[in-house]
Amino acid sequence: MKKTLTTLVLLPMMAFAQEYQVLRPGQWVYDVEVVIFGRQLAQPDSLYINNRVSNLDVPVHTLLTNFSDLPLLKDLPQTNPEESEQWQVPIEGNQPKQQALVWVLLQSSMNHPVIKKLQSNPTIKPLYFLKWRQPATRFLSPEYVAVTSIIKPEITFENNPDSAPQLESFEPFSDYAFDGVVAYSKQKFDHVTVKMNYYRHDPFGQRISYAIDQKQRIKLGQWQYFDHQQFGVMVKVNAISAEQQNEVE
């Protein structure tokens, strides 16, 4: 079974592997959507700009891109009590019965309603869209996915070529390039963390760096804005029940 993987990250970041998440009754997984856009503004001389950047030295998850031969949701194998020395009678109605495939790339096409809406604004330059599935991660130690244009993803969609990325071929640190990570975490409330560096050129061709480094409480199912004068990041997190998990848009 051949799997095609992509690491949307700049080295030397570490990467986790994809995995199945055991689901207990009532437990959900989450689809995370990210949109990056730039504002088409005249740039000042780089000599007068504080070129602030966010620290991106965090481990990131590698997203599985070709999972047509893997079910998004499958039943847990039945455990034989005689094969387990530590087997205990499970509490009725609370034992896990299924597991969900997580850290998978669901979509990266620019053919998205939010992108089309942004394209209608002459002052906005849509740059990127990415959607993936993950479990909730811990609030105090959120787990990240790389969202970057610095290295164009080498992604193969063998069974669905129309879903292949439609990204511009950015050279490292070219005008409108960006490099960052996004994390969804949950404690009592839901939170998204965005660390994003954005690069423009001044009138003399020198690089200018801008940054967003924010953690915000969010509402599930609603777009959350991480805003900067020069660019923006939009993130939406949807809870996906077991009944919905085999329905990928």
Side-chain angles (χ1 to χ4, degrees):
M1 179 176 64
K2 183 179 179 181
K3 304 174 187 175
T4 304
L5 301 177
T6 180
T7 305
L8 311 183
V9 4
L10 280 178
L11 296 178
M13 288 184 180
M14 299 169 53
F16 299 107
Q18 75 284 348
E19 60 189 37
Y20 274 93
Q21 171 82 18
V22 175
L23 295 178
R24 296 189 176 276
Q27 189 174 3
W28 301 56
V29 293
Y30 300 85
D31 285 358
V32 181
E33 298 177 79
V34 177
V35 171
I36 311 291
F37 64 89
R39 292 189 169 90
Q40 303 195 72
L41 301 174
Q43 296 300 299
D45 190 323
S46 60
L47 293 176
Y48 304 103
I49 292 294
N50 178 13
N51 284 279
R52 173 175 171 262
V53 294
S54 295
N55 180 12
L56 305 181
D57 187 19
V58 294
V60 297
H61 277 275
T62 298
L63 297 178
L64 179 65
T65 62
N66 180 23
F67 51 91
S68 59
D69 52 350
L70 298 175
L72 288 171
L73 187 70
K74 66 180 182 179
D75 293 334
L76 279 171
Q78 295 298 317
T79 302
N80 186 345
E82 297 179 357
E83 297 177 356
S84 176
E85 297 179 358
Q86 299 180 352
W87 182 83
Q88 297 178 355
V89 177
I91 299 175
E92 184 64 28
N94 193 42
Q95 64 271 28
K97 296 180 180 180
Q98 295 176 308
Q99 52 188 342
L101 186 63
V102 293
W103 304 114
V104 292
L105 176 64
L106 299 179
Q107 186 182 353
S108 59
S109 171
M110 294 288 279
N111 185 24
H112 187 274
V114 172
I115 296 293
K116 291 181 179 180
K117 185 174 181 180
L118 292 174
Q119 288 171 338
S120 66
N121 187 332
T123 67
I124 296 294
K125 182 178 177 66
L127 300 173
Y128 197 82
F129 172 78
L130 198 67
K131 179 180 180 180
W132 68 87
R133 180 162 293 173
Q134 66 165 87
T137 66
R138 290 176 291 184
F139 175 78
L140 295 179
S141 54
E143 299 176 27
Y144 293 91
V145 168
V147 180
T148 179
S149 69
I150 304 301
I151 296 178
K152 188 175 180 179
E154 299 291 338
I155 302 178
T156 302
F157 286 72
E158 297 177 355
N159 298 317
N160 190 7
D162 293 336
S163 295
Q166 301 174 17
L167 306 179
E168 298 186 26
S169 298
F170 287 98
E171 295 298 325
F173 307 113
S174 64
D175 205 18
Y176 294 103
F178 57 91
D179 184 27
V181 293
V182 174
Y184 163 64
S185 60
K186 187 178 185 71
Q187 195 174 44
K188 182 178 179 181
F189 301 107
D190 301 278
H191 292 81
V192 165
T193 304
V194 171
K195 300 176 181 288
M196 189 69 58
N197 297 321
Y198 175 67
Y199 305 99
R200 292 297 314 273
H201 289 169
D202 74 1
F204 307 100
Q206 298 300 308
R207 190 184 77 190
I208 302 175
S209 302
Y210 304 102
I212 291 175
D213 194 339
Q214 299 177 22
K215 188 171 192 174
Q216 294 184 18
R217 178 179 166 184
I218 65 164
K219 290 185 177 180
L220 294 177
Q222 297 185 13
W223 286 102
Q224 180 72 42
Y225 290 82
F226 296 79
D227 209 13
H228 187 282
Q229 182 182 2
Q230 294 288 336
F231 73 111
V233 180
M234 300 169 60
V235 183
K236 183 169 73 170
V237 180
N238 286 317
I240 308 298
S241 67
E243 293 75 18
Q244 298 172 306
Q245 285 182 43
N246 286 317
E247 303 173 5
V248 179
E249 296 179 0

